[in-house]
Amino acid sequence: MKTSDNVWVVIPSYNEREALVHVLATLAGLPVSTVVVDDGSTDGGANLAGASGSWIIRHAINLGQGAALQTGIQFALSKGADVVVTFDSDGQHDAGDISRLVAALAENNAEFALGSRFLGDAPGIPFTRRVVLQAGVMFTRLFSGIRVTDTHNGIRAMTRKGAQSVNLTLNRMEHASEFLDQVVSSQLPYVEVPVSIRYSPASLEKGQKSTAAFRIAATLMAERLR
Amino acid sequence: MTTFQLLAIPTCIMFALIATRRRRNLLTRRQSLVWVFVWLTAAIVVTLPNIASAIAHVVGIGRGADLILYVMCFASILFVRYFYHKQRRLEIALTALVRTSAVATAIAPARDP
């Protein structure tokens, strides 16, 4: 990453007080601006973000990760971002992947760089989680027409042009599929980049249950059939 | 008269009368007329079930009950679509409201980059 790039990292957060502090610490040394979008947290975690040099935006009520991401993306664009990176607050993502994603945009003339744990590294991924994610890949290939190896990865980079073509309206976890739909409909070039996902007992406990995939699929079908 | 008719006919008439209370139920004049028509039709069909069979035969359906079933399926799909769209519009509006307020009160970092 060149320091001349105006790179913004958008971090949606909901009750991730402990992990968020660590995440912001790992980002502190990078030549990026960060914005934490606190999605109605009740654990006071976002109060700690300001001291680490991050912008803080607070949703008055919990809307969902998709809504938080869209808020952050719009905010970053309003601040003149050249590149917008989305990054989870639960500590699963590696800050070192940010520079690889940003570099991939320029190297491949892409507007979107999508992180893939299945091209990279995902030690400790539960078997059921792997099965559900692979089913998600097949579902996405069938209904979105996009061939990617990881459809539910929160780390991605997009140029300003790419970010401007994104308008997430599905507020909850369905936003990941909606994002890919919009990548397809934008007809802008994209590239997949190997990234690392670290599964810890804490992140697995707080994360989405594998059974949530059925609810996500039902919501996506309802949206397509409306 | 069957037990079902003894229960259903007064119930339908009661709901038809409730539908005439426009102000209390926040109904427009058209909505009120539609619901009165629906409930009175239901009362008539329950009273004279052969009417449903006669109409069914006219449109090529074997039984009156089948005709009612098809109509109910179609109406249910329309209702579900209507309320889904309404709910999505509300969700999008609520999100926009929360987002606007959140961005307006964004807190800059301790050291502004």
Side-chain angles (χ1 to χ4, degrees):
Chain A
M1 263 180 314
K2 303 191 293 293
T3 51
S4 58
D5 290 336
N6 189 0
V7 179
W8 278 76
V9 181
V10 173
I11 308 168
S13 181
Y14 178 63
N15 288 343
E16 292 282 4
R17 181 187 175 97
E18 290 174 19
L20 181 61
V21 171
H22 174 71
V23 165
L24 291 172
T26 63
L27 296 175
L30 300 179
V32 300
S33 300
T34 58
V35 54
V36 171
V37 184
D38 177 56
D39 191 27
S41 295
T42 54
D43 66 351
N47 293 329
L48 307 172
S52 61
S54 177
W55 282 83
I56 308 167
I57 295 175
R58 284 203 180 91
H59 285 168
I61 58 174
N62 176 248
L63 293 174
Q65 191 184 54
L69 278 174
Q70 183 62 33
T71 298
I73 291 170
Q74 282 181 209
F75 183 78
L77 288 173
S78 74
K79 292 296 184 184
D82 296 314
V83 175
V84 178
V85 176
T86 63
F87 197 91
D88 286 354
S89 60
D90 59 5
Q92 287 193 341
H93 291 151
D94 182 354
D97 286 328
I98 292 177
S99 58
R100 279 189 281 280
L101 285 162
V102 175
L105 291 171
E107 289 165 5
N108 297 276
N109 284 326
E111 307 293 346
F112 298 99
L114 309 174
S116 171
R117 81 200 80 192
F118 297 116
L119 292 179
D121 199 25
I125 180 172
F127 175 73
T128 50
R129 184 67 59 88
R130 182 184 290 273
V131 168
V132 169
L133 288 170
Q134 291 292 356
V137 169
M138 289 170 52
F139 182 93
T140 300
R141 285 187 186 179
L142 189 62
F143 290 103
S144 301
I146 185 171
R147 297 182 71 83
V148 293
T149 58
D150 192 347
T151 57
H152 213 81
N153 198 324
I155 188 168
R156 48 175 93 82
M158 56 198 106
T159 61
R160 183 175 184 83
K161 185 176 180 181
Q164 287 171 330
S165 71
V166 171
N167 180 27
L168 300 174
T169 62
L170 294 177
N171 286 352
R172 302 273 170 202
M173 296 310 290
E174 306 82 15
H175 74 273
S177 292
E178 187 185 25
F179 180 86
L180 293 176
D181 282 345
Q182 292 181 359
V183 169
V184 172
S185 62
S186 72
Q187 297 185 313
L188 297 173
Y190 64 92
V191 63
E192 275 198 294
V193 178
V195 297
S196 300
I197 300 289
R198 191 178 72 242
Y199 289 93
S200 66
S203 69
L204 284 171
E205 185 186 339
K206 293 190 72 178
Q208 292 287 314
K209 298 284 184 286
S210 296
T211 50
F214 295 104
R215 192 189 69 241
I216 293 170
T219 302
L220 290 169
M221 291 308 298
E223 189 64 14
R224 281 186 160 80
L225 290 172
R226 70 182 180 123
Chain B
M1 193 171 273
T2 65
T3 304
F4 175 72
Q5 287 173 317
L6 284 171
L7 293 171
I9 295 168
T11 302
C12 291
I13 293 172
M14 179 185 72
F15 280 121
L17 289 171
I18 289 173
T20 62
R21 293 185 174 182
R22 287 175 46 210
R23 187 174 298 175
R24 180 173 177 156
N25 296 306
L26 300 175
L27 296 174
T28 64
R29 187 161 183 268
R30 195 208 305 194
Q31 287 169 334
S32 177
L33 285 172
V34 167
W35 280 111
V36 169
F37 173 77
V38 167
W39 289 117
L40 288 182
T41 302
I44 292 169
V45 172
V46 171
T47 308
L48 304 168
N50 289 335
I51 284 182
S53 296
I55 297 172
H57 290 145
V58 166
V59 297
I61 296 173
R63 302 185 308 164
D66 290 343
L67 172 66
I68 292 171
L69 180 64
Y70 298 153
V71 169
M72 288 305 300
C73 284
F74 186 67
S76 297
I77 291 170
L78 287 179
F79 273 121
V80 166
R81 280 196 81 228
Y82 172 76
F83 284 108
Y84 180 81
H85 278 263
K86 193 178 174 93
Q87 184 262 336
R88 282 290 287 142
R89 284 195 297 272
L90 280 171
E91 184 181 41
I92 289 170
L94 175 64
T95 301
L97 181 65
V98 171
R99 179 171 293 144
T100 300
S101 172
V103 171
T105 55
I107 302 171
R111 52 179 195 282
D112 196 352

